[in-house]
Amino acid sequence: MSVVESLLQFSSTGTLLGALLLLLVLYLLSSGSESQKEGKEPPGPKPLPLLGNLLTLDLMRPFDTFFELSKTYGNIFQVFLGPKKTVVLVGYKTVREALVNHVEEFGDRDIAPSFRIMNDENNWKEMRCFALCNLRDLGMGKRGSEEKIIEEIQYLKGEFDKFEGKPFDTTRPVNYAVSNIISSIVYGSIFEYTDPRFTEMVNSANENVYFAGSTSMMVCMLYMLTLVYSRDRIIVKNIMQSRQHMAKLINGLLETLNPHDSRGFVESFLIRKQSDEARKTFFHQDNLMMSVTDLFIAGTDSTGTTLRWGLTFMAKYPHIQDRVQEEIDRVIGGRQPVVEDRKKLPYTDAVIHETQRLANIVPLNLPHITNCDVTFNGYFIKKGTTVVPLLTSVLKDPSEWEKPNSFYPEHFLDEKGQFVKRDAFMPFSAGQ
Ligand code: HEM
C-alpha cells in the first residue's frame, strides 16, 4: 500500500475528539514557547488563545490585512495564524534585504504538513538542482521553448476561433495550451485538447491548486486538521489518478529510451537513474513523479492565470489594447512574433510587465522559514519561524510605484518611450 493510500484510509478514521486534543496540545506547546530571552521579537497584534490573530484577518484576502497591519506595526511584524507564529516582511526594501542579502537565513521553504507527507524534504535540494539544470538545457525560457510556444499558439487560436467572437470562459483552453508547453518540455511531446488523459490531468491539477489555496484549507492546515478534511481527500484522489496516467506515460518513454538523446525532463531523469548507481537514493520513480507533478502544478495555474489577467486588462482598457495592437502591427506585421521582436516592442513589453505587477497572482508569496536564529533589522526571529515575504506589498509598494493600484504601463517606460526594468518588479519573488 502506498503512502497516499494509507493516508486515505487513515483520514476516514479521524475523529473530531482527536483533532480537539491535538489543538489543545498545540496550544499548550505554542503558549509555552513565547520567551523573549534571546532579543526583541517583532511587534504585532495581541493573539487570542488558540485562535491567535485569525479573527483580525480578512481570510479571503489576508494579504490586504497584512498590508494594513504594517501601517501600525511597521515593515517587520508578527501575527499568530492560529497557533503558528508567522513573521511578515513588508515592502520592497525589507523583502529584498531578507531574500537576497540574507538568503542563508530566509531562503528555506516552509512546507505544509499535508505536502510534507508527499514530498521528502531531504532530497528537495537535489531534485531542485537537477530540475533547474535540465530545464535550462531543454531550452526553458530560451529558443527551445519559443518554438514550442509558437506551435501551441496555433492550436489555442483555433480553440478561440471556434467561439466566433462570442463570449466564453478562457480558463480551460488557456490552461491546456500552457500545460502542453510544459508537457513538451517534460515529456518531449504534446497532447490533443480532447485527449481524456490530458484533460483529466490538467483539470485535476487545477482543482488541487484551487483547493490547496482556499482559505478553509489554510485554516485546516494551521490546526493540522487536513487528515479529517474532505477537500484534502479530493486532493489526494486527484493526485493518485494523475499518478496512474503519469506512470503509463513514463513507462512508454522508458521503452523507447535512447541514453544518448533526451527529448525531455523525464528522459533526462531516466537516463540519470540508469547511469548513476550512487545516486539511486534520489533518482527513483517517486521523485520523478513528484518533480513532474510539481512542474505541472506550479507552472500551469500561474502562467494560465497571468495570461487571463492579460486578456482581462486588454478588455478593460481598450485604448491600451489599441496601442499594443498598433505597435505589433507596425513592428511585426502579419507574421508570427518571436522573442527577438521584444526589444522593438517597448510598449507591449511594458504592458506585459504591468500585467504581472497588478495581477499580483502570488500575493502572499510561498511561505519561507528561518533555518537558524536570526537578528534582522534589530528583531530576533527564532529558527523555524514561518516567514511571509509579502509580494503584494512589493508589487504595490507606494514608495516604489507612481500609481501602485492602477494599470499604468508607464511604470516600465522612460520619457522616450523605451522599456525600463524596475527593481521592485518581483512577481516571481527574489533570491535563490
Ligand atoms: C507567471 C508565471 C509564474 C509566477 C508569477 C510564478 C511565481 C512563483 C513564486 C512567487 C514562487 C515562490 C518563490 C519563493 O518562494 O520565494 C514560485 C516558485 C516556484 N515556481 Fe513559479 N511562477 C510562475 C511560473 C512557473 C513555471 C512556468 C514553472 C515551471 C514550469 C514554475 C515552477 C515553480 C517551482 C517548481 C517553484 C518552487 C521552487 C522552489 O521550491 O525552489 N513557476 N513561483
Side-chain angles (χ1 to χ4, degrees):
M1 186 188 288
S2 72
V3 176
V4 180
E5 281 161 323
S6 24
L7 172 67
L8 269 178
Q9 208 176 58
F10 176 64
S11 62
S12 60
T13 62
T15 63
L16 193 60
L17 188 62
L20 287 173
L21 273 174
L22 195 65
L23 275 180
L24 191 63
V25 172
L26 276 173
Y27 172 62
L28 292 174
L29 283 176
S30 70
S31 56
S33 65
E34 283 181 51
S35 140
Q36 291 207 357
K37 266 181 243 155
E38 296 91 344
K40 189 170 73 162
E41 290 190 350
K46 203 168 166 40
L48 291 170
L50 279 177
L51 291 170
N53 301 110
L54 282 184
L55 298 184
T56 316
L57 298 185
D58 173 351
L59 289 178
M60 297 310 287
R61 299 177 66 86
F63 40 90
D64 282 346
T65 316
F66 289 161
F67 211 1
E68 278 306 307
L69 286 173
S70 72
K71 292 177 186 160
T72 310
Y73 297 103
N75 287 344
I76 306 169
F77 64 89
Q78 66 184 30
V79 284
F80 282 79
L81 304 177
K84 194 176 173 113
K85 185 196 285 183
T86 301
V87 169
V88 183
L89 306 177
V90 179
Y92 165 66
K93 290 201 170 71
T94 314
V95 169
R96 188 177 191 286
E97 176 73 7
L99 295 186
V100 179
N101 299 348
H102 289 82
V103 62
E104 289 300 318
E105 299 95 316
F106 289 103
D108 278 5
R109 171 94 57 250
D110 186 14
I111 298 168
S114 163
F115 295 107
R116 202 175 292 137
I117 293 167
M118 299 179 280
N119 197 352
D120 177 5
E121 208 176 342
N122 291 334
N123 60 28
W124 173 69
K125 285 194 173 141
E126 181 79 26
M127 288 298 102
R128 182 178 190 275
C129 183
F130 178 80
L132 284 176
C133 290
N134 270 277
L135 294 176
R136 234 173 260 144
D137 290 349
L138 292 165
M140 188 122 166
K142 290 192 282 181
R143 281 201 167 267
S145 54
E146 176 175 11
E147 280 162 26
K148 290 163 186 146
I149 292 167
I150 288 173
E151 196 186 327
E152 192 60 40
I153 205 77
Q154 303 305 330
Y155 293 105
L156 182 61
K157 208 169 152 290
E159 288 299 301
F160 282 8
D161 286 345
K162 282 184 193 163
F163 293 93
E164 298 174 333
K166 296 191 193 81
F168 64 100
D169 184 351
T170 54
T171 311
R172 287 202 168 173
V174 167
N175 279 348
Y176 293 156
V178 173
S179 247
N180 242 350
I181 291 158
I182 298 175
S183 179
S184 67
I185 293 165
V186 169
Y187 293 119
S189 59
I190 57 167
F191 297 87
E192 294 291 332
Y193 294 180
T194 46
D195 184 333
R197 289 173 308 169
F198 178 61
T199 52
E200 206 175 286
M201 279 194 293
V202 178
N203 296 338
S204 66
N206 225 30
E207 190 174 48
N208 277 6
V209 171
Y210 175 73
F211 283 161
S214 67
T215 305
S216 44
M217 186 59 149
M218 184 187 95
V219 171
C220 284
M221 275 183 175
L222 289 173
Y223 292 103
M224 296 189 180
L225 288 177
T226 48
L227 297 179
V228 290
Y229 184 53
S230 64
R231 279 188 172 180
D232 202 45
R233 271 174 263 166
I234 298 174
I235 290 179
V236 175
K237 188 191 90 209
N238 280 340
I239 289 174
M240 284 174 69
Q241 261 172 7
S242 290
R243 282 171 73 98
Q244 282 170 3
H245 290 310
M246 223 189 293
K248 282 191 196 137
L249 290 166
I250 292 171
N251 284 341
L253 291 176
L254 193 58
E255 280 166 21
T256 55
L257 192 65
N258 173 358
H260 307 292
D261 180 27
S262 156
R263 288 165 299 173
F265 177 84
V266 170
E267 289 188 341
S268 300
F269 194 104
L270 293 172
I271 292 168
R272 183 77 166 264
K273 187 178 167 199
Q274 287 183 344
S275 68
D276 206 335
E277 277 301 313
R279 289 178 173 263
K280 276 194 176 155
T281 30
F282 295 123
F283 290 85
H284 48 73
Q285 184 84 352
D286 252 9
N287 263 350
L288 174 56
M289 301 256 246
M290 202 62 229
S291 298
V292 171
T293 308
D294 261 0
L295 291 173
F296 276 99
I297 287 193
T300 305
D301 196 69
S302 51
T303 311
T305 306
T306 305
L307 288 171
R308 287 188 293 111
W309 269 107
L311 296 173
T312 306
F313 285 135
M314 290 306 89
K316 189 169 177 199
Y317 303 112
H319 61 290
I320 296 178
Q321 183 187 157
D322 287 346
R323 275 189 73 179
V324 171
Q325 190 68 59
E326 184 281 321
E327 189 180 63
I328 291 173
D329 290 344
R330 179 165 39 81
V331 176
I332 297 179
R335 71 170 164 80
Q336 181 68 47
V338 289
V339 175
E340 247 333 89
D341 296 323
R342 186 170 170 166
K343 291 179 215 141
K344 291 173 263 158
L345 297 165
Y347 189 75
T348 307
D349 208 0
V351 166
I352 293 169
H353 280 73
E354 184 65 353
T355 298
Q356 282 209 272
R357 186 190 71 82
L358 204 62
N360 183 23
I361 65 156
V362 200
L364 285 170
N365 206 337
L366 293 187
H368 285 230
I369 195 165
T370 45
N371 78 352
C372 58
D373 288 352
V374 49
T375 300
F376 183 63
N377 290 7
Y379 294 117
F380 175 78
I381 308 170
K382 215 174 170 51
K383 176 180 177 176
T385 305
T386 301
V387 175
V388 171
L390 196 64
L391 286 189
T392 194
S393 71
V394 179
L395 294 172
K396 296 185 183 177
D397 187 332
S399 53
E400 295 291 328
W401 305 99
E402 296 76 52
K403 297 188 182 183
N405 296 305
S406 305
F407 190 81
Y408 185 61
E410 286 72 15
H411 281 138
F412 296 93
L413 293 169
D414 66 14
E415 51 299 339
K416 291 190 190 130
Q418 290 306 303
F419 179 79
V420 278
K421 283 189 178 161
R422 298 291 299 264
D423 292 339
F425 178 71
M426 258 189 209
F428 304 97
S429 187
Q432 234 175 36

